[in-house]
Amino acid sequence: MPAQFLLNVFIAVLWTLISDETELKFTTLVTGYLVGIVIVFLMHRFFGQRFYLTRFFALVKLILIFNRELFHSTVLVIKHILSPKIKIKPGIFKYETVLKGEWEVTALALLLTLTPGSVVMEVTPEGDTFYIHGMDVEESKDMLLTSLDKFEKAIMEVSR
């Protein structure tokens, strides 16, 4: 991935040096970078790796998924808070993840803890099992499991 990026920057600088004769312009550098993206995309299979901007787009997708899940869980928590009678049944459940590596497990735990109504209480030393406290386990466990599945897929797209 770094080789593709460095090649793209080299193409942009070369484009700028060839195109601008009297003075260097930022717009020419950006144009060169965009031309470099096309060239590197056409050549990325020769590097033996996927195109380097796919990881960036996967990160943007993960951020958008997190924002959507944050909004949905916030609405659910606000409904519980504003209801006249609080009818929640908090609980703890076990969740086994397919993620490997410290970065992936940590990212999933943080994303889940940042969404209202759920907290990761413990992660096993192997990093394959979470113990999660849910605000309302009966009502929101299915929604939480769906969120976990979405987060896992998005994290794997970014890291692998």
Side-chain angles (χ1 to χ4, degrees), residues 23-142:
E23 61 184 45
L24 300 176
K25 298 178 184 173
F26 182 72
T27 55
T28 310
L29 182 70
V30 171
T31 305
Y33 188 78
L34 295 174
V35 169
I37 287 174
V38 172
I39 292 171
V40 171
F41 177 73
L42 294 174
M43 295 178 50
H44 80 277
R45 65 175 179 220
F46 298 116
F47 290 99
Q49 298 173 341
R50 65 182 182 167
F51 185 53
Y52 78 100
L53 285 180
T54 56
R55 185 170 285 186
F56 173 74
F57 292 128
L59 181 64
V60 170
K61 180 182 172 185
L62 176 63
I63 291 169
L64 292 174
I65 289 171
F66 171 69
N67 285 334
R68 185 179 64 211
E69 296 300 323
L70 178 69
F71 178 76
H72 287 303
S73 61
T74 302
V75 168
L76 182 68
V77 170
I78 288 173
K79 283 182 184 178
H80 283 297
I81 290 172
L82 295 178
S83 67
K85 282 192 166 184
I86 297 179
K87 296 179 182 177
I88 60 172
K89 295 192 178 177
I92 299 170
F93 64 95
K94 179 180 171 182
Y95 179 74
E96 294 184 13
T97 182
V98 296
L99 298 176
K100 305 282 188 248
E102 294 177 4
W103 184 89
E104 292 178 345
V105 171
T106 304
L108 181 62
L110 289 174
L111 289 172
L112 187 62
T113 300
L114 287 172
T115 54
S118 59
V119 175
V120 176
M121 295 176 50
E122 184 177 353
V123 179
T124 59
E126 297 82 26
D128 61 347
T129 306
F130 291 112
Y131 291 97
I132 301 169
H133 179 272
M135 184 179 80
D136 191 7
V137 176
E138 287 183 359
E139 184 180 322
S140 63
K141 183 176 179 181
D142 293 332

Side-chain angles (χ1 to χ4, degrees), residues 5 11 19 52 87 95 104 143 145:
F5 175 71
I11 291 169
S19 297
Y52 78 100
K87 296 179 182 177
Y95 179 74
E104 292 178 345
M143 185 179 80
L145 290 174

